[in-house]
CSV table of all heavy atoms in Angstrom, one decimal:
chain,number,residue,atom,x,y,z
A,521,VAL,N,17.6,71.1,-90.9
A,521,VAL,CA,17.7,70.0,-89.9
A,521,VAL,C,17.0,70.5,-88.6
A,521,VAL,O,16.3,69.7,-88.0
A,521,VAL,CB,19.2,69.8,-89.6
A,521,VAL,CG1,19.3,68.8,-88.4
A,521,VAL,CG2,19.9,69.2,-90.8
A,522,TYR,N,17.2,71.8,-88.3
A,522,TYR,CA,16.5,72.3,-87.1
A,522,TYR,C,15.0,72.2,-87.2
A,522,TYR,O,14.2,71.8,-86.3
A,522,TYR,CB,16.8,73.7,-86.8
A,522,TYR,CG,16.3,74.3,-85.6
A,522,TYR,CD1,16.9,74.1,-84.3
A,522,TYR,CD2,15.1,75.0,-85.6
A,522,TYR,CE1,16.3,74.5,-83.1
A,522,TYR,CE2,14.5,75.5,-84.4
A,522,TYR,CZ,15.1,75.2,-83.2
A,522,TYR,OH,14.5,75.7,-82.0
A,523,ASP,N,14.4,72.6,-88.4
A,523,ASP,CA,12.9,72.6,-88.6
A,523,ASP,C,12.4,71.2,-88.5
A,523,ASP,O,11.3,70.8,-87.9
A,523,ASP,CB,12.6,73.2,-89.9
A,523,ASP,CG,12.7,74.6,-89.9
A,523,ASP,OD1,12.7,75.3,-88.8
A,523,ASP,OD2,12.8,75.3,-91.0
A,524,ARG,N,13.2,70.2,-89.0
A,524,ARG,CA,12.8,68.8,-89.0
A,524,ARG,C,12.9,68.1,-87.7
A,524,ARG,O,12.0,67.2,-87.4
A,524,ARG,CB,13.6,68.1,-90.1
A,524,ARG,CG,13.1,66.6,-90.5
A,524,ARG,CD,13.9,66.0,-91.4
A,524,ARG,NE,14.0,66.8,-92.6
A,524,ARG,CZ,15.3,67.1,-93.1
A,524,ARG,NH1,16.5,66.8,-92.5
A,524,ARG,NH2,15.4,67.9,-94.2
A,525,HIS,N,13.9,68.4,-87.0
A,525,HIS,CA,14.2,67.6,-85.8
A,525,HIS,C,14.2,68.3,-84.4
A,525,HIS,O,14.1,67.7,-83.3
A,525,HIS,CB,15.7,67.0,-85.8
A,525,HIS,CG,15.8,66.0,-87.0
A,525,HIS,ND1,15.5,64.7,-86.9
A,525,HIS,CD2,16.3,66.2,-88.2
A,525,HIS,CE1,15.8,64.2,-88.1
A,525,HIS,NE2,16.3,65.0,-88.9
A,526,CYS,N,14.2,69.7,-84.4
A,526,CYS,CA,14.4,70.4,-83.2
A,526,CYS,C,13.2,71.4,-82.9
A,526,CYS,O,12.8,71.6,-81.7
A,526,CYS,CB,15.6,71.2,-83.3
A,526,CYS,SG,17.0,70.3,-83.8
A,527,ALA,N,12.6,72.0,-83.9
A,527,ALA,CA,11.6,73.1,-83.6
A,527,ALA,C,10.4,72.6,-82.9
A,527,ALA,O,9.8,73.4,-82.1
A,527,ALA,CB,11.3,73.7,-85.0
A,528,GLN,N,10.0,71.4,-83.1
A,528,GLN,CA,8.8,70.9,-82.4
A,528,GLN,C,8.9,71.0,-80.9
A,528,GLN,O,7.9,71.3,-80.2
A,528,GLN,CB,8.5,69.5,-82.9
A,528,GLN,CG,7.2,69.0,-82.2
A,528,GLN,CD,6.9,67.6,-82.7
A,528,GLN,OE1,7.6,67.0,-83.5
A,528,GLN,NE2,5.8,67.0,-82.2
A,529,CYS,N,10.1,70.8,-80.4
A,529,CYS,CA,10.3,70.9,-78.9
A,529,CYS,C,10.8,72.3,-78.4
A,529,CYS,O,10.3,72.8,-77.5
A,529,CYS,CB,11.3,69.8,-78.4
A,529,CYS,SG,10.6,68.1,-78.7
A,530,HIS,N,11.8,72.7,-79.1
A,530,HIS,CA,12.5,74.0,-78.8
A,530,HIS,C,12.0,75.2,-79.3
A,530,HIS,O,12.4,76.3,-78.9
A,530,HIS,CB,14.0,73.9,-79.0
A,530,HIS,CG,14.7,72.8,-78.3
A,530,HIS,ND1,15.1,72.9,-76.9
A,530,HIS,CD2,15.2,71.5,-78.6
A,530,HIS,CE1,15.7,71.8,-76.6
A,530,HIS,NE2,15.7,71.0,-77.6
A,531,GLY,N,11.0,75.1,-80.2
A,531,GLY,CA,10.4,76.3,-80.8
A,531,GLY,C,11.0,76.9,-82.0
A,531,GLY,O,12.3,76.7,-82.1
A,532,GLU,N,10.3,77.4,-82.9
A,532,GLU,CA,10.9,78.0,-84.0
A,532,GLU,C,11.9,79.2,-83.7
A,532,GLU,O,12.8,79.4,-84.5
A,532,GLU,CB,9.8,78.6,-84.9
A,532,GLU,CG,8.9,77.6,-85.6
A,532,GLU,CD,7.9,78.2,-86.5
A,532,GLU,OE1,7.9,79.4,-86.6
A,532,GLU,OE2,7.1,77.5,-87.0
Side-chain angles (χ1 to χ4, degrees):
V521 175
Y522 184 84
D523 286 343
R524 187 182 308 122
H525 296 277
C526 313
Q528 183 177 358
C529 296
H530 294 283
E532 292 183 1

